[in-house]
Amino acid sequence: MGDSRRQSPTPPAFLSRLLGGRAPTILGRLPSAPGFWRSPVRGMRFTAVLGLVLLVGITVLFVTGLLSYAAYNPDLNPVNDKTPDKGLLGFYLFDWPTGPHWLYRLTQGLHVTLGIVLVPVLLAKLWSVVPRLFALPPARSVGHALERISLLLLVGGALFEFVTGLLNIQLEYLFPGSFYPLHFYGAWVFFAAFLAHAGLRVPQAVRVLRSGGLSGAVQGDRLDSPAPSPPTLSRRGALAMVGAGSLVLLITSAGRSFDGPLRRLAVLTPHGAAEPGSGPNGFQINKTAAAVGVTAADTGEGWWLTVSGPAGDLRFTRDQLLAMDQHSAALPIACVEGWSTSDQWWRGVRLKDLAALAGYPDGVPGVLVESVQRSGPFRRVALRDNQVRDARSLLALQVNGEDLTPDHGYPARIIVPAAPGVLNTKWVSRLTFGEL
């Protein structure tokens, strides 16, 4: 680069008149001045590498997020739908399958883990392009103005989605309203801006990376400082630091989806570190019975299960349910926060057998499940007919050879393969079979 790049920029005429002879000095100290940003690490090559990593990572995040939303079966019944005004944004929804039984554990674990791992990459990318956010004039043309608006949506959307997602993972609901609609609608706004930005910038990023190594000069590089500070770290070193940060986050968070030593390493997320107890019921839970107001009076000797259908309302005590044919299934619990358990050995009455008692010996329909839990967004959920038909779908009475504990849903809970944890209702009081 020639010496002309290191000259102070000519201030706009109106600022020159306003500030008089002091204009070059004052403007040179503002964030809008190219010389204000002096890091020698910034440059189009550095930004291009980060941008391409985010292009792949955010695309995977968006797809797995849509899969998570579909897993709730929001178009099945209003009780499952936390975004009732979604309109055309629900065009892709499909009947969520029951196999493989670890499907939701994989997709949501990948969604949350990748979101955490990409945080250093996102922050580094925003840092690398911050000079552009202060560039003057704010808009040189209508097209340039639209591009700047898309950047505001892109940056704001990225921060909103990552912050709300991280808060949800940590079970810190500091944002106004429900997480589900906020994150869902925010994702569509963000991804629309992301696609527009990618369409404009990806071809340029590919050309920049093809033209040489990270340390080489790029003609017309608008991110390279005209007066850089003495280098203390190379661009390769900076990328290595970003990668190391992502690796640390991977090690200290991904283990919440596994049992054993890996879970003990997951110290940065709830449901990491150690199991909450020992023995057959010693695996992870999201909410205890006490946390949702379920007491012994709700689940004690006076409890019964009501099964409704064409045969009328049938009532069963727990002993009567235990006297029925018992079946077993090895299934995990996987939650929207990204944590999961390994396969636990559940035992109880098949849902399709209860549907037959309700008056559906053939053509098993869906079921509305209700809990003794008095409040909460998922105290009532709907399950599809394919979920009821699956032989592994149980009204579970025991786990790992022992009765359920109150925190795991005693006296009875739902367990369905590949379903989000909130659809595996605990403390079940009523099953209503029929068209939903």
Side-chain angles (χ1 to χ4, degrees):
M1 301 297 177
D3 291 337
S4 60
R5 292 181 66 247
R6 303 186 183 277
Q7 296 175 359
S8 299
T10 302
F14 76 95
L15 286 178
S16 294
R17 292 193 297 268
L18 180 64
L19 299 175
R22 297 174 299 160
T25 302
I26 294 175
L27 291 177
R29 297 175 181 173
L30 296 177
S32 57
F36 181 88
W37 308 97
R38 303 189 60 198
S39 172
V41 174
R42 282 193 181 89
M44 291 178 65
R45 293 188 194 282
F46 181 75
T47 298
V49 172
L50 297 172
L52 291 178
V53 172
L54 287 175
L55 175 66
V56 175
I58 288 176
T59 301
V60 173
L61 280 181
F62 187 69
V63 172
T64 52
L66 293 184
L67 290 176
S68 177
Y69 183 70
Y72 283 75
N73 288 321
D75 59 340
L76 175 63
N77 189 281
V79 302
N80 287 13
D81 196 349
K82 306 309 172 187
T83 56
D85 299 321
K86 61 184 178 296
L88 293 177
L89 296 182
F91 70 92
Y92 72 94
L93 293 173
F94 57 95
D95 294 357
W96 188 252
T98 57
H101 72 278
W102 39 259
L103 178 62
Y104 189 75
R105 186 184 185 193
L106 172 66
T107 59
Q108 191 61 10
L110 177 61
H111 179 77
V112 171
T113 301
L114 183 58
I116 294 172
V117 168
L118 285 179
V119 167
V121 183
L122 176 67
L123 294 178
K125 176 66 159 57
L126 294 178
W127 173 85
S128 73
V129 298
V130 71
R132 290 186 181 178
L133 300 180
F134 293 92
L136 293 177
R140 296 189 297 268
S141 64
V142 173
H144 185 238
L146 293 175
E147 181 184 352
R148 296 298 293 270
I149 292 172
S150 71
L151 280 177
L152 288 176
L153 292 175
L154 178 68
V155 174
L159 293 175
F160 179 83
E161 287 298 289
F162 275 81
V163 169
T164 55
L166 292 172
L167 287 173
N168 184 66
I169 294 167
Q170 297 295 334
L171 308 178
E172 296 289 349
Y173 304 109
L174 304 178
F175 36 81
S178 171
F179 168 76
Y180 297 95
L182 289 174
H183 206 65
F184 176 78
Y185 293 124
W188 280 104
V189 172
F190 165 59
F191 199 69
F194 177 76
L195 285 179
H197 184 74
L200 292 170
R201 296 301 180 193
V202 166
Q204 182 186 38
V206 172
R207 287 195 301 271
V208 166
L209 292 178
R210 283 179 175 175
S211 64
L214 273 173
S215 58
V218 176
Q219 185 175 6
D221 192 335
R222 292 175 291 168
L223 295 173
D224 192 13
S225 173
S229 300
T232 57
L233 183 70
S234 69
R235 288 173 179 165
R236 286 189 175 85
L239 287 175
M241 286 185 62
V242 173
S246 292
L247 179 62
V248 169
L249 290 177
L250 175 65
I251 293 171
T252 55
S253 63
R256 75 206 177 291
S257 297
F258 303 93
D259 292 336
L262 285 177
R263 189 179 292 278
R264 289 193 288 273
L265 291 176
V267 295
L268 293 185
T269 58
H271 307 289
E275 297 289 1
S278 58
N281 280 269
F283 54 95
Q284 297 288 328
I285 57 174
N286 205 356
K287 293 181 180 178
T288 65
V292 297
V294 174
T295 66
D298 300 313
T299 60
E301 293 184 359
W303 175 90
W304 64 75
L305 173 72
T306 301
V307 176
S308 297
D313 287 350
L314 309 176
R315 290 184 174 181
F316 301 97
T317 65
R318 193 170 191 277
D319 287 341
Q320 289 173 322
L321 292 169
L322 285 168
M324 297 179 184
D325 290 341
Q326 302 292 295
H327 297 267
S328 298
L331 300 173
I333 296 289
C335 283
V336 69
E337 295 91 357
W339 68 269
S340 60
T341 72
S342 60
D343 290 354
Q344 309 297 321
W345 195 255
W346 307 91
R347 188 164 179 80
V349 183
R350 295 186 301 194
L351 292 183
K352 66 178 184 178
D353 293 342
L354 292 171
L357 292 175
Y360 291 100
D362 301 303
V364 176
V367 62
L368 179 66
V369 184
E370 299 179 68
S371 171
V372 301
Q373 182 181 339
R374 293 174 179 81
S375 61
F378 293 101
R379 63 167 299 274
R380 301 169 71 238
V381 302
L383 299 176
R384 288 190 181 278
D385 54 352
N386 67 311
Q387 293 173 310
V388 177
R389 285 195 306 269
D390 195 296
R392 297 165 295 178
S393 296
L394 304 175
L395 179 73
L397 306 172
Q398 297 176 321
V399 64
N400 298 324
E402 287 192 3
D403 288 346
L404 298 167
T405 61
D407 288 343
H408 281 296
Y410 179 91
R413 70 169 298 163
I414 295 294
I415 186 72
V416 173
V422 291
L423 299 187
N424 293 305
T425 309
K426 297 191 284 188
W427 316 294
V428 176
S429 63
R430 188 180 188 95
L431 299 174
T432 303
F433 292 92
E435 294 301 321
L436 299 173

